[in-house]
Amino acid sequence: IEAVYEKINETEPNVGAFLALNKEEALKQAREVDKNGIDPNNILSGLPIGIKDNIVTKDLTTTAASKMLEDFVPVYNATVVEKLAEAGMISIGKLNMDEFAMGGSTENSAFKVTRNPWNLSKVPGGSSGGSAAAVAAGQLPASLGSDTGGSIRQPASFTGIVGMKPTYGRVSRYGLIAFGSSLDQIGPFTRTVKDNALVLNAISGYDDRDSTSYNGETPDFTENIEAGVKGMRIGVPKEYFHEDAKEKGVVESVRAALKKYEELGAEIVEVSLPHSKYGIPAYYIIASSEASSNLQRFDGIRYGYRAEGVKNLEELYVKSRSEGFGLEVKRRIMLGTFSLSAGFYDAHFKKAAQARTLIRQDFEKVFEDVDFLVAPTTTSTAFEIGGRIDDPLAMYMADILTVPVNLAGVPSVSIPCGFSDDMPVGMQLIGKHFDEQTLYRAAYAFE
Ligand code: GLN
């Protein structure tokens, strides 16, 4: 644990992944492990992990990278944090992100810039950019992120590591600061596939404090991980491979990976997900609508930032929210409030919900015929810091390959599959509901 903090000291000036460190407490826990020995039944005991800053940690500041929560110190732990502690893992600190997880570059953080360890002029992706950069830079072997529309898979892809967005309901959201509640899932970042499965083992399971928690079996995600892909059928959704619309090196790397799967004995089948093209409008309406509702609680009274010098209650609300929220968050609140308003609900929110059903049905249909799907995680590799910040629509459009998975609720893991112009390329393996096991097995076979 001391070595971890040394490494962080060395690399942080370049990477900028952390918003808070838990050094004193972590060293205390490490000394306990030294004293009592490693728990032989728990392979993760004594190992370090970092936590995205929208996951609440008792007595440790949790800001969601927002000025709104700059001084917020939670009085309780998220379920995942409790579970990591039960597994004996040592929490190293809190990781930078886009404010309230809205964004794809970590540039929307109210506090700092996080850089891509592969090229410091590029973004690490987002919204879980700090979580990904810390693992990619070798500061940590594992971290937790959250994925509402790609925020684990896209930064994993941009930084050349493994990132899993589990099935909706697999991991408790209790203590995850809500963005789009019907889409949000917590999941692990690691450098290897097996490490990832081990961390998912630790954080999964039913939780009666999350009403959408899955009340079924939690398998051991490392079971059969070495069984290979021989005889498996891999679906390749043709809509996810428009060569002209995407960076060529990305598509080429994924195509080469498919060849490797064929050599390993899998069968490649072209499939179609025709409604995924509605993913962006459906996602941005649904996620923003849910966000506009979830963010009502930040009213300057119950949590966080409170404006000064106000004359009445209305002004307290308006000023606190105007000063506490960043630009992108305000944009989402406006979009969401508009989509849910009486005159526009049918045309916007209801239509988006219908499109979501069609997208989910596309996945269900192809999974009658194939074991899992393979697609690029993103349309390009990591872009320049500042390159897209003034063009929110371009930023939104870039999520076209990740958001359908969240709308359908299915699991998807992004793994590194090559390079394009010296930057890592990621491919995502997309699975049936609650079939993370197949994804890990296939990812492991490729690795
Ligand atoms: N980039 C997407 C957005 O801005 C996804 C974010 C996420 O998954 N949290 O909404």
Side-chain angles (χ1 to χ4, degrees):
I1 297 301
E2 276 168 3
V4 168
Y5 284 106
E6 262 168 45
K7 177 82 180 176
I8 290 172
N9 267 346
E10 252 169 57
T11 49
E12 242 336 63
N14 282 330
V15 179
F18 283 89
L19 290 176
L21 294 171
N22 190 33
K23 191 165 174 186
E24 213 172 298
E25 178 61 28
L27 287 172
K28 200 172 107 199
Q29 287 171 19
R31 278 186 209 107
E32 287 292 302
V33 178
D34 283 346
K35 205 167 74 203
N36 305 329
I38 283 174
D39 176 357
N41 298 316
N42 208 335
I43 191 168
L44 296 174
S45 97
L47 294 178
I49 189 159
I51 316 277
K52 185 176 180 179
D53 206 29
N54 59 350
I55 298 172
V56 303
T57 44
K58 188 169 188 281
D59 300 332
L60 184 61
T61 5
T62 299
T63 68
S66 181
K67 187 176 169 192
M68 190 55 99
L69 288 174
E70 190 163 8
D71 302 314
F72 178 54
V73 182
V75 294
Y76 70 103
N77 277 324
T79 297
V80 290
V81 173
E82 293 287 324
K83 281 179 169 284
L84 290 176
E86 274 162 37
M89 292 198 89
I90 297 180
S91 162
I92 297 298
K94 305 299 293 289
L95 293 154
N96 198 21
M97 53 183 284
D98 285 302
E99 184 178 4
F100 287 108
M102 297 170 187
S105 67
T106 311
E107 292 167 294
N108 294 335
S109 168
F111 304 119
K112 74 201 290 189
V113 177
T114 299
R115 296 173 185 280
N116 191 314
W118 292 87
N119 178 337
L120 297 176
S121 73
K122 302 208 182 226
V123 301
S127 63
S128 317
S131 301
V135 171
Q139 296 178 329
L140 294 169
S143 63
L144 293 186
S146 68
D147 190 315
T148 305
S151 281
I152 292 173
R153 289 161 290 151
Q154 184 254 32
S157 161
F158 279 10
T159 60
I161 61 171
V162 181
M164 166 67 94
K165 198 260 340 155
T167 309
Y168 185 78
R170 175 66 88 193
V171 178
S172 169
R173 291 182 296 109
Y174 180 74
L176 171 66
I177 296 173
F179 166 13
S181 308
S182 75
L183 303 155
D184 300 339
Q185 263 299 281
I186 296 169
F189 287 99
T190 54
R191 285 198 289 280
T192 74
V193 173
K194 204 165 182 178
D195 285 357
N196 206 282
L198 288 168
V199 178
L200 189 60
N201 276 349
I203 62 172
S204 296
Y206 176 67
D207 180 7
D208 63 11
R209 292 173 299 185
D210 170 2
S211 64
T212 60
S213 174
Y214 172 61
N215 198 354
E217 293 263 308
T218 306
D220 174 355
F221 296 108
T222 63
E223 197 185 299
N224 279 330
I225 201 165
E226 287 164 24
V229 291
K230 204 165 174 180
M232 280 197 187
R233 285 167 67 81
I234 304 179
V236 177
K238 61 170 189 243
E239 293 84 358
Y240 289 54
F241 281 81
H242 282 306
E243 329 230 338
D244 45 338
K246 301 188 176 77
E247 195 175 313
K248 233 169 134 236
V250 172
V251 177
E252 276 166 12
S253 299
V254 179
R255 292 231 181 263
L258 287 168
K259 280 234 162 57
K260 181 165 169 193
Y261 272 126
E262 253 178 336
E263 283 158 29
L264 292 169
E267 193 187 334
I268 310 292
V269 193
E270 189 181 90
V271 298
S272 175
L273 298 168
H275 296 96
S276 280
K277 62 171 180 265
Y278 303 120
I280 292 294
Y283 168 81
Y284 275 94
I285 288 170
I286 291 169
S288 301
S289 297
E290 293 182 11
S292 72
S293 169
N294 278 325
L295 296 181
Q296 284 180 69
R297 70 190 70 172
F298 301 102
D299 55 6
I301 294 173
R302 284 172 288 189
Y303 293 87
Y305 184 79
R306 179 180 295 182
E308 281 173 22
V310 294
K311 288 197 259 348
N312 54 39
L313 186 63
E314 164 110 17
E315 216 180 289
L316 173 64
Y317 291 154
V318 172
K319 244 186 135 198
S320 298
R321 288 168 67 83
S322 300
E323 292 170 9
F325 288 136
L327 208 60
E328 182 60 30
V329 174
K330 287 178 192 160
R331 191 179 288 127
R332 308 280 176 119
I333 293 172
M334 298 295 283
L335 177 61
T337 309
F338 174 79
S339 304
L340 290 174
S341 58
F344 298 99
Y345 180 88
D346 282 354
H348 296 281
F349 188 81
K350 197 171 158 204
K351 265 278 171 277
Q354 288 167 335
R356 178 182 195 165
T357 301
L358 294 172
I359 291 168
R360 196 191 66 235
Q361 286 169 346
D362 282 353
F363 280 100
E364 283 163 1
K365 197 158 156 241
V366 299
F367 283 134
E368 286 170 11
D369 188 42
V370 299
D371 294 294
F372 66 97
L373 303 170
V374 168
T377 307
T378 53
T379 55
S380 75
T381 54
F383 46 89
E384 292 289 317
I385 292 172
R388 288 186 191 165
I389 197 72
D390 297 326
D391 190 352
L393 208 56
M395 203 79 110
Y396 296 177
M397 291 306 289
D399 295 333
I400 185 153
L401 301 176
T402 49
V403 297
V405 159
N406 301 76
L407 291 166
V410 291
S412 170
V413 65
S414 180
I415 60 173
C417 71
F419 289 87
S420 169
D421 275 338
D422 295 330
M423 290 306 286
V425 175
M427 68 173 168
Q428 52 177 338
L429 316 186
I430 305 169
K432 301 173 188 174
H433 284 111
F434 300 105
D435 192 18
E436 290 87 353
Q437 254 179 330
T438 298
L439 299 185
Y440 281 130
R441 178 172 154 184
Y444 188 82
F446 180 81
E447 191 178 55

